[in-house]
Each structure stands twice: as structure tokens, then as C-alpha cells.
Amino acid sequence: MKNNIINIPHLEEIKEIRRLEQIVSKETDIPIYDLSHWNAGDEYIRHMMSQYKISSSLNCFEYHYSYEFDHELKQRIINRLTHTSTIGYNCVLTHNSTAAICCIGDYLKKKHYKKICVIEPAYFSIYSCLLSFGLNVFKESIVIDSNNKVVFPYENIIKNKYDAVWITSPIFSTGIYFDDVSAIHSLAQKGVLLLVDESASSPNHSLFSQLYSTENVIAIFSPHKYLSINSTKFAAIICPFSVSDYLEDWIDVFIGSLPMSSCIAIEHFMSSNFVTCVDIHDEFVKNNLKIVNELCTIYPDNYYNGEETNYITIRNETIPFIDSLDKIDMLKIMRSTHVSFIPGYINGFSKKWGFCYRINLTNNPLIIKNGVGRLFNFFWS
């Protein structure tokens, strides 16, 4: 019997984009720059490293587990993440959000959640991870209406009787936060478990802080992800004590102890230097947003919504939505502009978003100005 090979569509699409980049780079001997890439540009890194200060007093020879961190520290982490003092909630620490997703997927399976909804757009691994645990997983879509208001699929969630809903805040890769959370809060009051992924949220925004009055919320935070510090980081799962007791045990099974990088990141997050780094990040992103706004003025078919984020999603109302990668068109774009991007459909953006793609605002300013400018000009032509 042949082994079944299960591919992850998101990753297969990214691999194909990388293959096309290599083709054009070999043809032209000019590198192709991915405007959607998850790593920061070298100019941002230099700015950040000029002030970034880390240290740790922990013993690197010993194991470090989430349950070893004292309750007072965990409550201070919750308070700093959410700007609230939550009496009924605890904090479980993992080395990154992906590990947290796996542990939550296991919890949902063992606690017999029968019908789970992932609100898209969302981080690619969530849907695949939950399916891998044998869960019954469905998708619903977030859209923006003609007045630029977020339309949350509340009616569909009620109609389809989901018992758990995975929500990403801000809306994945957009910097769009939920202004009105009444519908979301209503779901928790009705007994629906809310899984709130705030891994990339700004320290100034917390959806959890508007929902925690019920016990039906589990939230994930990863504060260094906001800073584009992708190796020295940690994730915090904020959840009721009954959930944290379960997770503390099963984390030992799935992911083991915390690496030293996460321990360092926890100490850094609790230091004043983290605030300094946030200020550096926000100023850099603000300056790049000015460049994008200037380009949108010159090429007015392009626009975005969002704020305080690493990523925005550019939309172009004159180009039809695409739901698959057209290799010929992508090669044409790359050959003309020497940039590439991740189309929105790969991350679950629905047809109502129109043609869209992500831009990383921690790119070098010249990359933003020249690369995005060439792309806008290509679509204008």
C-alpha cells in the first residue's frame, strides 16, 4: 500500500512562488524581493538592535517549564499583555504561537468539541493543525463592507451551531482591529468557546480585555512577534485555571520545556526595554505607512485599512479576485517589477476582499517605495 502524502495548500503555493522567483532571478540576474515576506528588512533590524537589550539570570543547563514560573509573575504578564487584572484566568507559557495552537488543538479534541469554526483570513497552520487532531473544522469569512466596517459572520456561526470559534485579532495581515465586539462577546455568553489569536496584535490593542468577563475565552499572545523578533520570543496562552491545569501537563508531552530564547524573551517583555523597542517599531512602521499613503495617492486604485501592525493588505478594486496562482501572470509581474507577493487567497481572504496581497511594513523604506511603486505602476498600466 502506498503511503498517503498530505500537502498543506498554503505551503505548496508559497513553494511555487519561490520557484517562479528563482526562474526570473536566473533569467535577469536581478534578485526578486518578496514584499510579503515575514522577516524584517536590514534597516529595521539595525534600528532595533541599536536599542535592543536582553539579559537573563536563568541557568541554561536546567529545564525551564511554564509551571515553574510563579503565579505573581504570570499575573503580571497577563496584566501587561491585556492591561487588565483578571481574577479567573491563568497564563501558560510556550516557546511560540504554533506550539500554542497545537496544544489548544489537543485540548479541543480531548474535551470533545464537535464543531469548530476558523474565521478567515487566518494563520495557515491553524486549520491544518486542527484537522490533524481529527477535529470537525469549518471556515467562515470576515469581510469589510462598503463603509469600511468589519462584518463578523455572527449569523452564520449561530446558524451552524459551532461550539468553538477561532478568531484572529487584528484580522490576519491587515492591522484591522474589531471596533464593535458585542457580537463576539455574545457568542461567549451563549457558551461558545472563543479562541482568540492575538499573536501579532499591538500592545495597545487587546480583544481579550473586552471579552474576559466570561469563562469561555482562550487567548494567545506573542509580544515579540509584533516587533518582528522571530527567534527570541515566547507565547502566552491566557485561559481559565481549569484549562491551564490541563495545558501545563500536556505541554510536557507535546513540546517539552521552554528554550533559553523564550526565557530571555519573557524577561525582556517584562523590562522597560520592551517599551523602547515598541516605540522604535511604531516609528519605523509609521514612516513606511507615509510612503504607502503617498503611493496610494498617486495610484488611487490601491488602498488598505489598518494600523499599528507589521503587515497591511493592499487591495485593488480594478483587478478581479484570484483564487489560484496563475503562473504566467505571476512571471510577467516578476519580470516587469522584480518583486513578488503572497496573494490574499492563500491566507484565506474571501472574494469580497477583491484582489489583495500583503506588504511587510518592516521592509526597508526604499524597498517599499521602489518595489511597491513598481507594482502599483504595473497594475496601473
Side-chain angles (χ1 to χ4, degrees), residues 19 98 101 152 217 370:
R19 189 183 73 82
T98 303
I101 292 167
F152 186 79
V217 185
N370 296 333

Side-chain angles (χ1 to χ4, degrees), residues 169-374:
S169 180
I171 298 172
F172 186 74
S173 291
T174 67
I176 301 172
Y177 295 88
F178 295 94
D179 292 328
D180 183 1
V181 303
S182 57
I184 301 173
H185 194 271
S186 174
L187 291 175
Q189 291 177 318
K190 291 178 183 293
V192 177
L193 178 64
L194 302 180
L195 307 160
V196 182
D197 184 355
E198 301 198 62
S199 300
S201 66
S202 160
N204 299 318
H205 289 83
S206 169
L207 179 56
F208 172 84
S209 67
Q210 302 175 70
L211 302 172
Y212 73 91
S213 58
T214 75
E215 293 186 355
N216 295 316
V217 185
I218 298 175
I220 303 173
F221 291 84
S222 186
H224 288 84
K225 191 174 182 67
Y226 178 74
L227 299 178
S228 283
I229 299 175
N230 293 318
S231 293
T232 305
K233 62 181 180 181
F234 74 100
I237 306 172
I238 301 178
C239 55
F241 279 89
S242 58
V243 179
S244 68
D245 289 344
Y246 175 93
L247 293 177
E248 295 283 18
D249 288 341
W250 281 93
I251 279 175
D252 206 358
V253 173
F254 280 105
I255 60 175
S257 63
L258 289 165
M260 198 63 181
S261 59
S262 294
C263 297
I264 291 171
I266 292 167
E267 292 190 356
H268 178 252
F269 175 64
M270 299 305 294
S271 73
S272 60
N273 186 251
F274 181 82
V275 178
T276 300
C277 292
V278 169
D279 290 341
I280 293 169
H281 168 278
D282 290 353
E283 184 65 24
F284 193 93
V285 165
K286 180 180 177 181
N287 289 334
N288 271 344
L289 271 176
K290 289 180 181 178
I291 296 172
V292 174
N293 286 329
E294 290 170 0
L295 290 170
C296 287
T297 300
I298 298 170
Y299 301 97
D301 291 335
N302 302 280
Y303 63 102
Y304 70 94
N305 307 90
E307 59 181 323
E308 293 186 53
T309 183
N310 293 345
Y311 308 109
I312 55 173
T313 290
I314 297 290
R315 304 164 68 188
N316 188 309
E317 58 191 5
T318 67
I319 304 174
F321 176 79
I322 61 171
D323 59 6
S324 61
L325 187 67
D326 188 312
K327 299 173 187 177
I328 294 175
D329 284 348
M330 185 60 84
L331 282 170
K332 185 178 179 181
I333 292 169
M334 290 181 185
R335 286 171 176 144
S336 177
T337 66
H338 299 291
V339 299
S340 70
F341 54 85
I342 298 176
Y345 80 90
I346 293 179
N347 289 314
F349 284 83
S350 69
K351 186 175 182 178
K352 290 187 177 181
W353 287 83
F355 178 76
C356 60
Y357 52 92
R358 179 173 80 194
I359 290 179
N360 185 340
L361 290 174
T362 61
N363 277 325
N364 293 353
L366 277 179
I367 293 290
I368 296 287
K369 182 176 182 178
N370 296 333
V372 176
R374 288 196 300 270

